[in-house]
């Protein structure tokens, strides 16, 4: 049981390049999330998907797009990377029912934009 | 808007001793959940303990326990018999309650815990 997996683990981009961060979970969870973590700050929600086929903006969605490809997979796309997007990105998932409120996190992707 | 405050950027404790990490939060909701997550150098976010606001009893998980003071909006984490493997960044987090669709988890800025051998 792998839980939440993310690829890649590390990535370096030049300003203006695009890339997609991949996330998959094998726990049959309904909800999935993308967070970013910057030095001295807690995690901030970028986008989330409450169920397959739906996505919603979080706190800091500008510069990002997401796709909920199926129940397992939730990708985050940077269309034109900027140095301000240098961060560690975490994907998480949660079973969406009352009482199941724990989010399980992937190992993170460290992204550097030059 | 919800906020979570961790006022101790760094803490240290002698191995086998007890340490308490502080967390306060602000919410207008009556039903919500509180969490402590541990982030070791591997960066993985690991759930340590969770507390439902409607439960008066403080949650415990082995050496980890919380002191939940709902009126004071305080949620501290106590680690007993500290071990070297407890060294990590600890994040307090809050999620609004039982209404499906309240998806946002609000995090504090973290407390870095060092264990002194």
């Amino acid at each position: 049981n792998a839980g939440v997996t993310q690829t890649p683990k590390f990535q370096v981009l030049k300003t203006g390049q695009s890339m997609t961060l991949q996330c998959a979970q094998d726990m049959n969870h309904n909800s999935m999330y993308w967070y970013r973590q910057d030095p001295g700050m807690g995690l901030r929600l970028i986008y989330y998907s409450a169920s397959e086929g739906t996505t919603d903006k979080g706190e800091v969605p500008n510069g990002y797009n997401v796709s909920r490809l199926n129940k397992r997979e939730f990708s985050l796309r940077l269309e034109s990377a900027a140095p301000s997007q240098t961060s560690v990105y975490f994907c998480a998932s949660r079973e969406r029912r009352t009482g199941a409120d724990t989010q399980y996190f992937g190992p993170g992707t460290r992204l550097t934009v030059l | 808007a919800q906020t979570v405050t961790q006022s101790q950027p760094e803490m240290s404790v002698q191995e086998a001793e007890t340490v308490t990490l502080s967390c306060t939060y602000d919410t207008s909701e009556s039903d919500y959940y509180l969490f402590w997550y541990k982030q070791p150098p591997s960066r993985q976010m690991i759930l340590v303990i969770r507390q439902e606001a409607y439960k008066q009893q403080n949650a415990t998980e082995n050496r980890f326990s919380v002191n939940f003071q709902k009126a004071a909006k305080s949620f501290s984490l106590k680690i007993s018999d500290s071990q070297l493997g407890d060294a990590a960044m600890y994040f307090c987090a809050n999620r609004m309650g039982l209404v499906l669709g309240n998806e946002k988890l609000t995090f504090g800025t973290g407390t870095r815990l060092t264990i002194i051998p």
Side-chain angles (χ1 to χ4, degrees):
Chain A
N1 192 341
V4 181
T5 57
Q6 292 181 236
T7 56
K9 289 187 178 180
F10 302 93
Q11 183 71 49
V12 179
L13 294 177
K14 295 181 179 178
T15 297
Q17 286 186 317
S18 62
M19 81 157 296
T20 300
L21 280 63
Q22 306 286 354
C23 174
Q25 52 92 10
D26 62 3
M27 296 175 282
N28 202 36
H29 286 171
N30 301 103
S31 296
M32 297 185 74
Y33 310 82
W34 276 105
Y35 292 88
R36 60 178 288 173
Q37 184 180 29
D38 300 302
M41 302 184 75
L43 278 68
R44 292 182 295 168
L45 184 65
I46 305 171
Y47 269 95
Y48 67 94
S49 171
S51 60
E52 186 179 353
T54 68
T55 60
D56 284 285
K57 296 178 180 179
E59 277 182 274
V60 288
N62 293 342
Y64 305 95
N65 286 301
V66 291
S67 296
R68 183 74 182 268
L69 304 169
N70 47 55
K71 193 171 185 180
R72 288 188 65 248
E73 298 172 290
F74 187 39
S75 61
L76 178 72
R77 183 159 178 85
L78 287 70
E79 290 292 349
S80 179
S84 62
Q85 294 178 305
T86 294
S87 190
V88 180
Y89 291 85
F90 288 94
C91 179
S93 72
R94 177 177 75 91
E95 185 178 355
R96 191 165 182 261
R97 62 175 172 82
T98 301
D101 286 90
T102 299
Q103 292 189 16
Y104 296 91
F105 286 83
T109 296
R110 183 177 292 278
L111 175 66
T112 302
V113 183
L114 303 174
Chain B
Q2 294 188 114
T3 59
V4 177
T5 303
Q6 295 179 249
S7 58
Q8 306 154 313
E10 296 183 353
M11 293 280 286
S12 60
V13 63
Q14 206 80 29
E15 192 177 2
E17 296 296 310
T18 296
V19 64
T20 299
L21 309 183
S22 301
C23 173
T24 58
Y25 59 94
D26 189 18
T27 180
S28 56
E29 301 292 319
S30 58
D31 288 317
Y32 50 88
Y33 294 81
L34 295 161
F35 306 85
W36 279 98
Y37 279 91
K38 169 185 177 181
Q39 187 179 42
S42 66
R43 293 203 315 264
Q44 182 82 42
M45 293 289 285
I46 302 165
L47 178 69
V48 175
I49 199 164
R50 55 171 274 177
Q51 173 83 42
E52 293 91 340
Y54 62 87
K55 288 188 178 178
Q56 293 188 337
Q57 186 172 6
N58 289 326
T60 62
E61 287 288 341
N62 301 313
R63 297 182 295 108
F64 299 88
S65 62
V66 298
N67 184 4
F68 173 48
Q69 302 289 328
K70 191 171 184 178
K73 294 182 179 176
S74 170
F75 182 60
S76 60
L77 175 69
K78 185 171 86 170
I79 306 174
S80 304
D81 185 26
S82 298
Q83 300 176 0
L84 294 178
D86 295 334
M89 197 78 165
Y90 286 82
F91 290 96
C92 179
N94 170 246
R95 179 184 172 274
M96 288 191 290
L98 302 178
V99 176
L100 293 179
N102 283 334
E103 303 288 343
K104 184 169 177 272
L105 201 58
T106 301
F107 284 85
T109 52
T111 297
R112 183 172 302 281
L113 178 64
T114 301
I115 310 296
I116 304 165

